[in-house]
């Protein structure tokens, strides 16, 4: 099968080995500048610049044309997009699918709305690769990936919800509660793909034990884990150690957040995708 996986940059997955893969970038926009969320961007510098920036900042999803370009000339395409409840990304992918399938009647595109973002999208992309490698046909991959997606989850721990609130992705009231120094908000991607706050934790340590508890509450028994961090490698390592103290054989990987996730998860943020 001549197949390609295409994810948007909120997955923090610039490359995926062993299969045709492309990443379509979202953008971070201010009144003065545009940051394209690709490998060429210095995310650390962007975060510092934006922290000092007094004006408005927001984000923009890829266009239909961006998705089409990423499809290349693949016969079969699977797109993995950030939750359609917070972004127009998935919608643009669906429109690209319609154009592509009309233009090339023998080609097919399956658009997956992750109802999540970051490391949960990584799990989905990696499972797609596994199913394709196993030789399943297009329809079978579609069926099985949708089953898999019912069992994956995303938890987060955030120090600040400011950029989320400023851009209307959570309520201002919720953001205020999180803004207290030393308080972290622990929550999850809800079943409908919105931010659901679950706990307010004093200190990073408390947030981490809460995260591991919540992983277990969501059915985690030692399956795959993917962690993404907002300029917080140390925190990600500490969280992984805590998970390993209870699940020594866990298959886990840590990656830095790209620009989109860094913008919204902000400095210190942790995102955890796992199999339930
Ligand atoms: O289209 C656009 O401009 C992109 C908008 C994206 C808004 C949300 C990004 C969230 C990034 C924050 C913590 C995890 C949230 C889980 C949500 C389901 C990461």
């Amino acid at each position: 099968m001549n197949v390609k996986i295409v994810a948007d940059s909120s997955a923090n997955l610039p490359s995926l080995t062993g299969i045709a893969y492309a990443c379509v970038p979202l953008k971070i926009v201010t009144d003065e500048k545009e940051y394209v969320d690709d490998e060429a961007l210095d995310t650390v510098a962007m975060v510092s610049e934006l922290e000092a920036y007094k004006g408005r900042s927001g984000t923009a999803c890829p266009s239909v044309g961006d998705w089409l370009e990423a499809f290349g000339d693949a016969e079969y395409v699977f797109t993995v997009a950030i939750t359609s409840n917070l972004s127009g990304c998935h919608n643009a992918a669906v429109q690209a699918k319609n154009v592509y399938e009309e233009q090339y009647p023998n080609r097919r595109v399956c658009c997956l709305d992750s109802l999540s973002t970051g490391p949960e999208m990584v799990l989905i992309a990696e499972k797609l690769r596994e199913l394709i490698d196993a030789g399943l046909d297009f329809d079978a991959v579609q069926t099985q990936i949708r089953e898999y997606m019912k069992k994956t989850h995303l938890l987060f721990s955030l120090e600040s919800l400011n950029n989320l609130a400023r851009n209307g992705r959570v309520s201002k009231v919720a953001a205020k509660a999180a803004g207290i120094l030393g308080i972290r908000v622990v929550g999850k991607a809800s079943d409908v793909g919105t931010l659901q706050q679950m706990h307010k934790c004093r200190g990073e340590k408390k947030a981490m034990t809460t995260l591991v508890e919540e992983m277990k509450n969501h059915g985690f028994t030692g399956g795959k884990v993917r962690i993404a961090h907002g300029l917080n490698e140390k925190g990600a390592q500490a969280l992984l150690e805590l998970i390993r103290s209870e699940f020594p054989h866990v298959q886990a990987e840590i990656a830095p957040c790209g620009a989109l996730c860094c913008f919204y998860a902000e400095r210190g943020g942790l995102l955890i995708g796992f199999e339930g």
Side-chain angles (χ1 to χ4, degrees):
M1 190 158 60
N2 165 11
V3 56
K4 189 166 186 180
I5 300 172
V6 184
D8 69 60
S9 65
S10 75
N12 312 310
L13 191 66
S15 62
L16 184 66
T17 53
I19 193 155
Y21 172 79
C23 170
V24 286
L26 286 100
K27 287 174 190 145
I28 319 301
V29 244
T30 71
D31 292 333
E32 280 152 31
K33 203 168 165 178
E34 191 178 88
Y35 304 87
V36 179
D37 187 7
D38 61 19
E39 272 189 298
L41 182 70
D42 181 345
T43 310
V44 181
M46 180 199 80
V47 170
S48 302
E49 267 176 51
L50 289 177
E51 280 170 349
Y53 181 67
K54 297 279 177 282
R56 284 174 302 178
S57 54
T59 56
C61 69
S63 67
V64 178
D66 295 336
W67 281 104
L68 278 171
E69 200 183 309
F71 293 175
D73 57 2
E75 239 178 295
Y76 298 98
V77 178
F78 290 91
T79 68
V80 188
I82 184 171
T83 171
S84 61
N85 236 311
L86 298 177
S87 170
C89 225
H90 175 67
N91 265 331
V94 172
Q95 286 179 54
K97 164 194 160 78
N98 293 338
V99 173
Y100 199 67
E101 289 181 343
E102 197 172 289
Q103 196 173 357
Y104 308 103
N106 294 324
R107 299 185 185 176
R108 293 188 61 196
V109 182
C110 164
C111 296
L112 301 165
D113 178 355
S114 70
L115 296 177
S116 182
T117 187
E120 191 175 356
M121 290 170 66
V122 174
L123 290 175
I124 296 167
E126 290 175 346
K127 178 57 86 176
L128 279 170
R129 178 178 58 185
E130 190 184 311
L131 294 170
I132 295 160
D133 277 353
L136 271 66
D137 68 23
F138 183 77
D139 290 318
V141 174
Q142 261 199 74
T143 312
Q144 295 217 15
I145 196 67
R146 291 190 195 282
E147 277 308 307
Y148 180 72
M149 288 164 71
K150 291 179 191 160
K151 291 180 291 200
T152 56
H153 303 280
L154 181 83
L155 293 174
F156 58 80
S157 161
L158 303 177
E159 273 174 30
S160 163
L161 303 186
N162 277 340
N163 282 341
L164 282 161
R166 277 194 208 117
N167 287 284
R169 262 77 186 192
V170 296
S171 80
K172 294 237 153 61
V173 183
K176 217 167 188 173
I180 304 162
L181 203 68
I183 298 291
R184 284 184 157 259
V185 169
V186 169
K188 65 173 177 180
S190 73
D191 291 345
V192 291
T194 52
L195 259 96
Q196 185 176 333
Q197 294 190 47
M198 296 187 289
H199 307 276
K200 273 180 228 133
C201 300
R202 192 168 292 277
E204 194 172 31
K205 223 175 178 163
K206 176 73 186 137
M208 290 196 190
T209 50
T210 306
L211 283 169
V212 177
E213 277 314 302
E214 283 299 347
M215 285 173 76
K216 290 190 277 187
N217 290 344
H218 287 78
F220 181 71
T221 54
K224 253 168 99 174
V225 176
R226 295 290 178 264
I227 301 172
H229 64 86
L231 313 186
N232 187 13
E233 169 92 40
K234 245 174 105 182
Q237 294 285 3
L239 174 64
L240 181 51
E241 263 167 48
L242 192 61
I243 298 170
R244 283 225 165 99
S245 68
E246 289 193 53
F247 303 95
H249 302 297
V250 69
Q251 196 213 319
E253 272 168 32
I254 294 174
C257 284
L260 191 278
C261 279
C262 246
F263 177 74
Y264 285 109
E266 301 193 41
R267 213 180 264 281
L270 293 174
L271 310 180
I272 306 95
F274 61 97
E275 297 175 342

